[in-house]
Amino acid sequence: MENNCFNMTPLGPDAHNTLGTVCIFGTGDFGRSLGLRLLQAGYSVVFGSRNPQNSSLLPKGAQVLSHLEAAQTSRIIFIAVHRENYDFLSAFSQELSGKVLVDISNNLRKNQYPESNAEYLAKLLPQANVVKAFNTVSAWALQSGSLDASRQVFVCGDNCESKQMVMDIARSLGLTALDQGSLLAAKELENYPLQLFPLWRLPMYIATGLTAAFFIYCVLTEIVYTFVTEGKDNSFMIVVSIANRVFPIVSLIMLALCYLPGVIAAILQLYNGTKYKRFPDWLDKWMLCRKQLGLVALALAFLHVLYSLVIPLRYYASHYRYIYTISQLKDNKSLMFDNSMAWRNDSFYSLGILGFGLYVLLGITSLPSVSNMVNWREFRFVQSKLGHITLLLCTAHTLVYEWNAFLYASSYRWYLPPATVLSLIVPCIVLVLKLILITPCVDTVITRIRQGWERKSAYAPHDTSEQPLAS
């Protein structure tokens, strides 16, 4: 019989008065929140409970019956109980035959059982149509009207009509229903709520590692070195000066790391002469978290801006100005205007402002609400073209700041280069490689490879247009 994906039948006997009747097994927090939301949407709600007399916490307007009686009132039943309690359902499997059972359960840890809860329920009640849904929506999201939480409801199941019924209910509640395929996807859906920022882990590890490494490096070369060689205690500089040196360094490196995997991928495609060869797993993971790398880098750039704004307010800065002014008065000297220093200073600030402005633009366009409003070419222009310009401006900002200090031996404390010099290594490598890749002779080959062209020595059977005819 043809499987119709559009449900045109009422949900229960009261459909002439409301949208239909929905049954919920379970009177916990989620069951009560779901019942209240269904009532507000216009559904009749019947709760199935092992203790129907105890219904004081349930939403007003809902019926409370025994599980057996409740199962007979609706075609669709939400199973809002834990997997460990599923066994009681087998006692009235005949009454549940042909019903749509919506499994909303989650586990305490990923891959806790060999099969998903929904698949286990389907084996327990083979005559019912099991659908996995609503497990990614919290009770709080239902209570708050989804204004402060995710609106997405992932749905999977083997029966198309049953899935459509559940998706219709989700949409009537103001939620966004997304079909994830068959019930085989249930295990992935159950693992989803247990994930803790999976794409943010690598960027956070990188940011933490770089911050710790450069913090120790700066303390060693600027605080410890001064104390050992001159006997001065500049430890107070750790709070603002060192922090304001480390944050922009890490931000610049992480911005470069956003574009380095794209450069490596282009080089690999040139080397292989084809786009049909998989990238290494580490490169795939790296490319998947570029957005998160960029957002962490932007957060560090914001910190750099805030720290820079408070520098003139510091006691150390005002004290230094007073001492310098008094020394000039005592010596009867005046500092002559240095035109080259004025150019350098203004260029430094201008490059920083322009770079940070584009930095913020990159962050804004990475937001889903913004990226969904632009087409692929516009998004690629901002994230790729303007992204590399942002990297160029921020690198130039650092170069102007460092200027020619790397030429003087005094800058190398304990023979170690300044931290800002180290911060320029990765960005300069990325910019030089990108400059090579965008030259016409190289860019033409990369474009052809990405359009499907292959060298004869690489996966020759794919490119049939350039294969010699068999003799």
Side-chain angles (χ1 to χ4, degrees):
M1 183 174 66
E2 183 178 349
N3 192 7
N4 183 12
C5 291
F6 297 95
N7 176 38
M8 301 301 292
T9 60
L11 294 173
D14 298 328
H16 60 282
N17 294 326
T18 65
L19 293 177
T21 300
V22 176
C23 179
I24 302 175
F25 281 5
T27 56
D29 291 338
F30 189 90
R32 294 196 302 269
S33 300
L34 178 61
L36 176 60
R37 191 70 182 275
L38 288 168
L39 286 169
Q40 292 172 343
Y43 289 94
S44 294
V45 177
V46 178
F47 281 95
S49 174
R50 62 177 180 268
N51 187 11
Q53 291 74 28
N54 187 13
S55 59
S56 58
L57 296 177
L58 296 179
K60 185 178 180 181
Q63 285 185 281
V64 187
L65 304 173
S66 66
H67 290 116
L68 182 60
E69 293 173 326
Q72 299 172 355
T73 63
S74 176
R75 184 182 172 188
I76 185 166
I77 304 172
F78 283 84
I79 309 298
V81 297
H82 293 287
R83 173 183 175 136
E84 294 79 7
N85 301 319
Y86 282 176
D87 291 340
F88 81 92
L89 296 171
S90 57
F92 40 95
S93 58
Q94 184 176 355
E95 287 76 10
L96 296 178
S97 178
K99 303 284 186 178
V100 178
L101 305 183
V102 185
D103 176 42
I104 63 173
S105 65
N106 284 315
N107 296 317
L108 297 177
R109 61 181 183 274
K110 295 175 65 174
N111 302 319
Q112 185 172 351
Y113 299 101
E115 73 284 312
S116 66
N117 296 345
E119 290 173 304
Y120 172 72
L121 182 61
K123 290 180 181 179
L124 191 65
L125 301 168
Q127 302 302 319
N129 298 316
V130 176
V131 176
K132 186 73 184 183
F134 284 86
N135 69 302
T136 58
V137 179
S138 66
W140 164 250
L142 293 172
Q143 292 174 5
S144 62
S146 302
L147 296 176
D148 302 323
S150 174
R151 300 170 61 89
Q152 292 184 335
V153 176
F154 299 105
V155 182
C156 71
D158 293 331
N159 185 275
C160 192
E161 182 183 0
S162 300
K163 284 195 298 183
Q164 188 63 43
M165 291 174 63
V166 178
M167 293 172 69
D168 289 343
I169 290 178
R171 295 190 184 103
S172 68
L173 300 183
L175 304 172
T176 302
L178 300 174
D179 191 344
Q180 299 297 299
S182 71
L183 207 59
L184 294 175
K187 196 175 188 68
E188 182 180 353
L189 296 188
E190 291 172 5
N191 287 335
Y192 180 77
L194 301 175
Q195 296 177 354
L196 183 63
F197 305 117
L199 294 178
W200 289 88
R201 291 182 182 177
L202 180 58
M204 293 305 298
Y205 289 153
I206 294 174
T208 303
L210 287 174
T211 301
F214 276 101
F215 179 80
I216 294 172
Y217 189 89
C218 290
V219 169
L220 180 66
T221 57
E222 299 184 30
I223 306 300
V224 178
Y225 177 85
T226 304
F227 181 77
V228 172
T229 58
E230 303 177 20
K232 291 183 179 180
D233 181 12
N234 291 336
S235 57
F236 68 90
M237 299 180 67
I238 291 176
V239 180
V240 175
S241 298
I242 298 299
N244 195 37
R245 194 178 303 277
V246 172
F247 289 147
I249 287 174
V250 178
S251 177
L252 179 61
I253 294 175
M254 292 191 68
L255 178 61
L257 292 177
C258 292
Y259 297 99
L260 183 56
V263 172
I264 295 175
I267 293 174
L268 287 176
Q269 289 178 335
L270 281 173
Y271 176 79
N272 295 323
T274 180
K275 71 172 185 178
Y276 297 107
K277 187 173 182 180
R278 279 186 58 86
F279 294 133
D281 289 339
W282 59 267
L283 184 57
D284 278 335
K285 294 178 181 178
W286 189 354
M287 296 182 74
L288 286 175
C289 68
R290 286 181 294 178
K291 172 183 174 180
Q292 288 72 21
L293 277 170
L295 291 176
V296 174
L298 177 59
L300 292 171
F302 262 112
L303 289 176
H304 172 51
V305 171
L306 295 176
Y307 271 93
S308 298
L309 291 175
V310 304
I311 284 179
L313 307 177
R314 299 167 63 204
Y315 168 77
Y316 169 75
S318 59
H319 178 76
Y320 179 81
R321 287 196 301 269
Y322 295 150
I323 295 298
Y324 181 78
T325 303
I326 292 172
S327 65
Q328 291 286 303
L329 291 173
K330 284 183 177 181
D331 297 336
N332 196 23
K333 293 180 180 179
S334 60
L335 184 63
M336 301 299 295
F337 183 80
D338 189 340
N339 194 59
S340 62
M341 180 58 70
W343 268 99
R344 175 189 169 189
N345 191 262
D346 286 359
S347 299
F348 168 74
Y349 286 117
S350 180
L351 289 169
I353 293 171
L354 292 173
F356 182 71
L358 290 180
Y359 222 144
V360 174
L361 178 62
L362 292 176
I364 293 174
T365 54
S366 68
L367 298 175
S369 58
V370 178
S371 60
N372 291 337
M373 300 298 293
V374 298
N375 59 39
W376 169 245
R377 186 176 182 183
E378 293 167 341
F379 181 79
R380 186 171 180 270
F381 172 78
V382 173
Q383 294 294 328
S384 181
K385 301 294 190 301
L386 293 186
H388 283 94
I389 293 175
T390 303
L391 179 61
L392 177 63
L393 290 173
C394 293
T395 304
H397 173 68
T398 308
L399 282 169
V400 172
Y401 172 80
E402 190 61 30
W403 201 244
N404 60 350
F406 67 95
L407 298 176
Y408 298 99
S410 59
S411 299
Y412 296 82
R413 299 172 178 178
W414 283 329
Y415 304 102
L416 297 174
T420 48
V421 172
L422 296 178
S423 70
L424 291 168
I425 295 176
V426 178
C428 288
I429 290 174
V430 173
L431 291 172
V432 170
L433 292 176
K434 184 63 179 179
L435 181 62
I436 296 173
L437 292 175
I438 63 175
T439 53
C441 57
V442 179
D443 183 61
T444 301
V445 178
I446 295 176
T447 302
R448 292 185 65 192
I449 289 174
R450 290 174 176 173
Q451 290 176 343
W453 175 85
E454 298 176 289
R455 282 201 303 265
K456 292 183 180 180
S457 59
Y459 298 95
H462 283 290
D463 195 359
T464 56
S465 61
E466 298 190 12
Q467 298 303 313
L469 296 175
S471 56

